Amino acid sequence: MSPDIGLIVGSGLAALGLDVVGTETVQTSFGEPSSPLLSVAIADKRLECIARHGVERWIAPHAVNYRANVRALHEAGVGRVIAINLVGAISPDFTPGSIAIPDQLIDYTAGRESSFGEGQDIETRHVDFTLPFDPILSGAIAAAAADCGYSIRRGVYGVVQGPRLETAAEIDRLERDGCTMVGMTAMPEAVLARELGIDYAVLAVAVNYAAGRSPGGVPIHAEIEQALADGMLRVAEVLKRLLASS
Ligand code: HPA
């Protein structure tokens, strides 16, 4: 049986090694999603998956059609989304290659289409976003990670506009704001999912120390490939464990 869980996978798609068993090109009233709906097999289950940055071309974080992506999964019957996002590590106990589940976010993005804008009532016009990530789904992912032997960091995801990386001063500011990790794609994805009543959680993979945070002053890009490979192995294991019990 297919669970109602869907995936939105970012730049680590290839490293995640998903077993794609079908594809369906779809359109939505908000345009074309970044990729066809990819039907992936994990632990005897089939899930619908969107490749956030596309499959054959790379769509930059600020240019992703987040509305079409979230809408396409909703129309496919997905009620819970696990988003796999690459992030830079800000807090010192978070190191490249490790995984985290944010429980809060701060949105620093600008100019992205961040609402379906069809709300007829006060709840859908002004969605309650006190808790941007679904605590139950986040908890289930954390439990699966613990079963796999991974210690999971929680924390605050600062969502920046990109596509450039930050200055060291910007990272200092994010840290003062309380951010423990920085990435480019959790918003507006999280709020769009909330508008459609989809439970949404992020499983984040740290692929670099954020700007100015590398202990030995190692250039940001030097370690990304290895951290991505290590982190995605962990993500694949966690998803398998989670889906085996879903
Ligand atoms: N900053 C912003 N987004 C990112 C980073 C970063 O350092 N690493 C991966 N995504």
Side-chain angles (χ1 to χ4, degrees):
M1 213 193 77
S2 301
D4 69 340
I5 294 180
L7 301 176
I8 301 180
V9 181
S11 293
L13 181 72
L16 192 52
L18 290 173
D19 180 13
V20 179
V21 294
T23 60
E24 186 192 352
T25 301
V26 293
Q27 280 289 341
T28 77
S29 48
F30 292 89
E32 194 182 344
S34 301
S35 78
L37 278 174
L38 309 174
S39 195
V40 301
I42 304 178
D44 293 336
K45 309 274 176 14
R46 272 191 180 215
L47 325 189
E48 298 302 332
C49 170
I50 291 275
R52 186 188 287 119
H53 299 290
V55 176
E56 273 156 23
R57 64 212 161 109
W58 187 74
I59 306 168
H62 64 283
V64 168
N65 188 340
Y66 294 93
R67 294 196 298 184
N69 290 352
V70 174
R71 191 70 162 212
L73 288 172
H74 186 249
E75 285 171 7
V78 167
R80 292 177 287 168
V81 164
I82 300 174
I84 313 295
N85 296 29
L86 307 188
V87 295
I90 298 179
S91 61
D93 66 336
F94 191 28
T95 49
S98 56
I99 53 180
I101 300 171
D103 36 32
Q104 275 295 335
L105 66 78
I106 300 179
D107 186 7
Y108 301 92
T109 66
R112 301 185 182 188
E113 298 285 1
S114 59
S115 175
F116 289 106
E118 289 175 343
Q120 296 304 307
D121 52 49
I122 192 83
E123 280 85 5
T124 53
R125 263 187 271 154
H126 301 293
V127 285
D128 184 342
F129 207 44
T130 312
L131 299 176
F133 304 112
D134 183 68
I136 296 174
L137 185 55
S138 298
I141 303 167
D147 284 349
C148 295
Y150 300 131
S151 65
I152 279 286
R153 280 154 205 81
R154 306 306 290 257
V156 180
Y157 182 139
V159 195
V160 296
Q161 178 71 354
R164 69 163 175 86
L165 296 172
E166 301 68 46
T167 65
E170 286 169 338
I171 293 299
D172 289 344
R173 171 190 168 208
L174 262 64
E175 188 170 42
R176 285 195 297 276
D177 286 353
C179 298
T180 58
M181 64 192 94
V182 56
M184 300 177 189
T185 48
M187 282 295 282
E189 213 169 78
V191 74
L192 293 169
R194 179 66 50 84
E195 282 193 352
L196 295 183
I198 295 174
D199 297 339
Y200 178 94
V202 164
L203 179 51
V205 178
V207 289
N208 56 281
Y209 290 103
R213 288 294 185 275
S214 166
V218 179
I220 286 189
H221 289 109
E223 302 163 336
I224 286 186
E225 291 307 317
Q226 189 58 49
L228 181 66
D230 294 348
M232 283 302 165
L233 275 181
R234 296 189 166 110
V235 168
E237 213 184 317
V238 171
L239 289 178
K240 214 166 172 182
R241 184 72 63 123
L242 179 72
L243 269 304
S245 56
S246 292

